[in-house]
Amino acid sequence: MRSAAEYDHLVGEAAGVPITGWEFAWLDGRAVGSDPSWSYPDLARPLLRPADSLLDLDTGGGELLVELAPLPAHTVAVEGWAPNVPVARDRLAPFGVSVVTELPGGEDEFDVVLSRHGRLPTEDIARLLRPGGTLLSQQVGSDDLRDLNAELGAPPPYATSWTATEAVAALEAAGLVVTDVREERPPLTFHDIGALVYQLRAVPWQIRDFTPQRYERALRRIDALIRTHGHYTATAHRFLVQATRP
């Protein structure tokens, strides 16, 4: 069992790790998340095989997109967070992927639109999909790690509800036909306080005013729980929607 004196070392280590893209390898062995019962890559790959064109929304550093290769000849990735853009361009250039910072302005351009843990601009998706084209999206729901926020005394992560129900209503209002909906709340377990600090740095919208100093008292309380029980577990929120344009 670790001593309380390790708190400063673990938090300081996590606070100093550079964060680029959406790669969470630093958490390997330190935080364990249960994946939803579905596999997003396994659902995406069959959609890409016959496709001539693909739009990937909020690609991060392009980590997942390269895993889906081979990619359609016309593949565009959108990434609006400035630190991720050069990372995505470097990673995706060998695959011939264009990385842009804004949504394309045309119509009927893509056979497939993907969005994993990114935006779901339903009217733009309907505009950009070709007739018969498909959207596949895995979303982070508004209850994601809500219990962690409460434990830290922070506001809820999202001001409005974002669940499969709201997503389906928005897609249908945009004229798309929803063909698959799934929603789950898997656990996310942290094995040291540094892993939790890193997680909150990597997803800054979870607690928008987060710093280890501002939340030190609550973090030390969670650290004591981890040292006593070996872990601290919070609840994630994921849902998946698939839709087509008639």
Side-chain angles (χ1 to χ4, degrees):
M1 180 181 294
R2 295 185 306 272
S3 69
E6 289 187 71
Y7 174 89
D8 289 339
H9 170 73
L10 290 168
V11 170
E13 180 188 22
V17 177
I19 295 177
T20 58
W22 299 127
E23 216 165 2
F24 289 82
W26 191 82
L27 291 177
D28 289 351
R30 306 179 74 158
V32 179
S34 296
D35 292 329
S37 60
W38 63 83
S39 167
Y40 179 85
D42 286 350
L43 293 171
R45 287 189 184 99
L47 299 176
L48 300 187
R49 290 190 196 111
D52 294 321
S53 53
L54 164 66
L55 177 66
D56 188 37
L57 299 179
D58 295 333
T59 196
E63 299 88 352
L64 178 63
L65 193 54
V66 299
E67 292 182 18
L68 299 178
L71 301 171
H74 176 48
T75 296
V76 177
V78 182
E79 179 52 44
W81 194 44
N84 278 348
V85 174
V87 178
R89 286 179 173 156
D90 287 346
R91 180 174 279 121
L92 294 173
F95 297 85
V97 176
S98 173
V99 178
V100 299
T101 58
E102 301 288 344
L103 286 169
E107 298 180 1
D108 306 343
E109 185 176 350
F110 298 100
D111 295 316
V112 177
V113 173
L114 298 178
S115 178
R116 181 182 181 273
H117 299 180
R119 291 172 291 171
L120 198 67
T122 54
E123 293 190 1
D124 287 311
I125 291 169
R127 167 179 61 84
L128 290 163
L129 275 175
R130 292 173 177 166
T134 300
L135 161 76
L136 178 69
S137 180
Q138 180 174 301
Q139 291 283 299
V140 177
S142 55
D143 289 339
D144 193 56
L145 304 186
R146 180 180 290 263
D147 47 355
L148 171 60
N149 284 48
E151 183 73 36
L152 288 170
Y158 300 94
T160 58
S161 177
W162 182 237
T163 68
T165 299
E166 283 88 9
V168 168
L171 291 166
E172 291 178 341
L176 300 175
V177 176
V178 176
T179 58
D180 193 3
V181 185
R182 315 182 198 187
E183 187 165 25
E184 295 178 1
R185 289 171 168 79
L188 175 58
T189 298
F190 300 94
H191 291 291
D192 69 65
I193 196 65
L196 192 151
V197 169
Y198 181 92
Q199 171 78 21
L200 292 173
R201 288 185 60 226
V203 287
W205 53 87
Q206 185 74 38
I207 300 177
R208 298 182 187 278
D209 67 347
F210 177 77
T211 66
Q213 294 76 25
R214 180 173 285 118
Y215 287 90
E216 181 177 1
R217 179 176 295 182
L219 287 171
R220 286 187 181 276
R221 185 171 63 246
I222 294 176
D223 179 57
L225 291 173
I226 294 173
R227 287 186 290 108
T228 299
H229 301 291
H231 62 85
Y232 172 79
T233 298
T235 306
H237 181 195
R238 301 287 183 268
F239 63 87
L240 180 132
V241 289
Q242 186 169 332
T244 60
R245 179 183 168 187

